[in-house]
Amino acid sequence: MGIDQCPRGQPQILDLVARDLHQRHEDFSVFPLFVWGVPNIAAELFTPKELEQGIHAGAAETSLMLAILPDQVRLDQAVCEFPPDLPPGSLLSPEGQLPFAWVTRDLTRSGVLGDATVATGEQGDRLLESLVSSWVQVIREIYQFRQPQRFRKDNFRTIIS
């Protein structure tokens, strides 16, 4: 079972749910996945600031929407809004290795975290192609995946006996 963690605001909850499900049902493999967790070409298309702080409705997501559902995107209403800057040299961030707890209203007035004004359908097409390619690989790997069973309860008793 794959669980997509999107939006990324509270990934820890799904990680815990996935672990608990697997613990209760050992023959049930659970994958708490995130749409952006696969290799993609976003770094070729967007600025470092967008890649780090454009975490909702910014250039990448708006470009994808322009590729998938262009009639639903109102670029005339696009905004650019990034989270307030942290102190220079801070190791803390809304996401990453040392995240702090936050809700959207802490970081943005508009609901946008990134620069939707620079989004294009061409970027979205290229990004979508790279995401799809990687997700095809992930889905194949999930299909072939077999949970390691070296230390399962039944095997553990056999080793100890």
Side-chain angles (χ1 to χ4, degrees):
M1 171 182 204
I3 303 173
D4 179 33
Q5 297 182 6
C6 190
R8 188 75 171 151
Q10 304 300 324
Q12 305 83 359
I13 295 169
L14 290 179
D15 290 343
L16 291 171
V17 169
R19 183 184 162 276
D20 287 351
L21 281 170
H22 178 66
Q23 193 170 26
R24 289 183 188 158
H25 309 281
E26 288 185 349
D27 59 339
F28 190 57
S29 295
V30 183
F31 304 86
L33 306 171
F34 176 50
V35 70
W36 298 105
V38 298
N40 62 74
I41 64 165
E44 297 173 22
L45 302 172
F46 307 108
T47 66
K49 184 174 184 177
E50 183 70 32
L51 294 171
E52 182 181 346
Q53 298 180 17
I55 57 179
H56 181 65
E61 289 181 355
T62 304
S63 292
L64 277 177
M65 291 304 297
L66 285 166
I68 298 168
L69 295 168
D71 296 341
Q72 300 299 309
V73 180
R74 293 183 230 139
L75 272 181
D76 60 314
Q77 296 180 22
V79 298
C80 174
E81 186 176 354
F82 287 96
D85 288 332
L86 293 169
S90 177
L91 298 175
L92 305 176
S93 67
E95 297 189 341
Q97 294 297 320
L98 298 172
F100 56 84
W102 59 274
V103 293
T104 303
R105 71 177 173 266
D106 294 333
L107 304 178
T108 173
R109 287 183 186 273
S110 66
V112 172
L113 290 164
D115 187 357
T117 66
V118 299
T120 69
E122 180 187 344
Q123 290 171 322
D125 288 337
R126 291 181 59 204
L127 184 56
L128 181 61
E129 184 178 329
S130 73
L131 287 166
V132 167
S133 175
S134 292
W135 276 104
V136 166
Q137 180 181 345
V138 169
I139 291 166
R140 284 185 179 133
E141 289 184 23
I142 288 173
Y143 178 74
Q144 296 171 353
F145 182 82
R146 298 297 173 259
Q147 185 74 36
Q149 299 188 16
R150 185 171 185 176
F151 299 106
R152 294 269 173 102
K153 290 178 193 171
D154 294 336
N155 293 344
F156 188 68
R157 280 190 221 112
T158 303
I159 294 170
I160 294 201
S161 298

